[in-house]
Amino acid sequence: MHASVPLPVRQIGFGDLSDAVLVREVPVEMPISVEVGGIGYAVMMATPADLEDYAVGFALSEGLVERAAEIERVDVQPLEGGIALRLWLAPEQSRRALDRARRRVGESSCGLCGLENIEEVLRPLPRITARLETDRHAVAKALAALAEHQPLGRATGAAHAAAFCSAAGDIRCVREDVGRHNALDKLLGALARGGIDAASGFILLSARCSYELVEKTVRAGCPMLVTISAPTSLAAERAAAAGLTLLALARADSALLISGEPDL
């Protein structure tokens, strides 16, 4: 299935720019249902590319499994209007997932309403134990190269990218999606499926740094997160509490060190 499609549009000129009829590539966005052991778990709006990576990364980020090897099979089933990702887990993990699915039935669409849910969202994160020998020059190198690894972003101007970079700043893997959370889940799934240790490098995101992105990075065991946009207050607090090195508003000439190693 295509990640982008052509869309006829009319360019409206301002000033000296004249009107024109154009064809623009736009990213595909469609409902992707996630089922675990035959039970519906969530429906996400995502780009239908790298879906096996997405399934694995989603399961890891949600805490349904601790290792990719605990997923026995992923079935990608096209449906009318969308796609179903059907995950089949080992028995113990399947029971855990079904318990989570039952609790989610009573949640509102935001998924954060009610005291129990707030406590769950703010539960302590594991501390980052890995240390990365890197520097600001490696970050600048990765930033400069990111655009070369964003074919969907170049074609549409409307897709987020999540990149895994070596300590030296070489980009090793990139995944794209209309949703920044989806792009990161796809990346984490690709790392897990490829046997790449997330602790061996840093993650670079073309997105605003919300707390969910910090949490996904920490749970993956990655010691450093770099984002090209600003963090939220909760993202900064959670990163500091977990010992995550967080760089935000990363540009060609500078970045803000939000938390972590002061000598970067």
Side-chain angles (χ1 to χ4, degrees):
M1 189 167 281
H2 297 293
S4 66
V5 294
L7 179 70
V9 298
R10 184 176 183 85
Q11 177 179 275
I12 304 299
F14 300 130
D16 296 333
L17 185 64
S18 60
D19 290 7
V21 176
L22 306 174
V23 176
R24 279 294 304 263
E25 287 288 317
V26 295
V28 174
E29 182 179 34
M30 65 169 51
I32 309 290
S33 70
V34 179
E35 302 174 9
V36 181
I39 302 297
Y41 186 85
V43 177
M44 313 296 290
M45 299 304 295
T47 301
D50 303 304
L51 291 178
E52 290 85 356
D53 292 338
Y54 181 52
V56 173
F58 182 88
L60 290 166
S61 293
E62 283 285 299
L64 302 179
V65 298
E66 295 180 358
R67 297 175 293 108
E70 293 171 350
I71 300 174
E72 296 183 342
R73 192 174 83 248
V74 176
D75 295 331
V76 179
Q77 180 65 49
L79 304 173
E80 183 175 355
I83 294 175
L85 294 181
R86 295 179 173 136
L87 283 71
W88 304 97
L89 312 181
E92 179 59 34
Q93 283 69 38
S94 185
R95 284 191 291 272
R96 180 195 310 168
L98 291 177
D99 287 342
R100 290 282 299 275
R102 293 188 188 99
R103 291 201 300 272
R104 286 170 65 95
V105 170
E107 295 178 357
S108 72
S109 58
C110 71
L112 301 178
C113 300
L115 180 60
E116 291 183 358
N117 285 328
I118 290 176
E119 290 176 343
E120 181 71 11
V121 168
L122 298 179
R123 67 192 184 281
L125 289 171
R127 289 282 300 180
I128 291 289
T129 57
R131 287 293 172 262
L132 188 66
E133 296 294 328
T134 189
D135 56 33
R136 65 188 66 189
H137 304 294
V139 175
K141 179 180 179 181
L143 280 166
L146 182 60
E148 303 171 10
H149 298 266
Q150 294 180 257
L152 185 60
R154 285 197 306 273
T156 67
H160 286 294
F164 182 71
C165 313
S166 72
D170 298 311
I171 294 180
R172 299 183 60 190
C173 183
V174 178
R175 292 293 183 266
E176 294 182 276
D177 197 277
V178 291
R180 63 188 190 275
H181 308 94
N182 301 334
L184 181 52
D185 277 342
K186 288 180 178 180
L187 176 68
L188 297 178
L191 297 182
R193 295 177 71 209
I196 300 173
D197 186 1
S200 66
F202 62 91
I203 290 173
L204 171 60
L205 300 178
S206 65
R208 172 178 62 84
C209 184
S210 58
Y211 88 95
E212 304 101 312
L213 301 179
V214 166
E215 298 214 353
K216 290 176 187 291
T217 301
V218 170
R219 293 190 184 284
C222 184
M224 188 167 86
L225 174 63
V226 181
T227 69
I228 67 170
S229 193
T232 65
S233 61
L234 187 55
E237 292 170 11
R238 299 288 273 173
L244 175 71
T245 297
L246 176 60
L247 288 174
L249 282 177
R251 300 291 188 266
D253 59 352
S254 66
L256 299 181
L257 179 63
I258 307 299
S259 65
E261 299 297 337
D263 298 326
L264 188 69

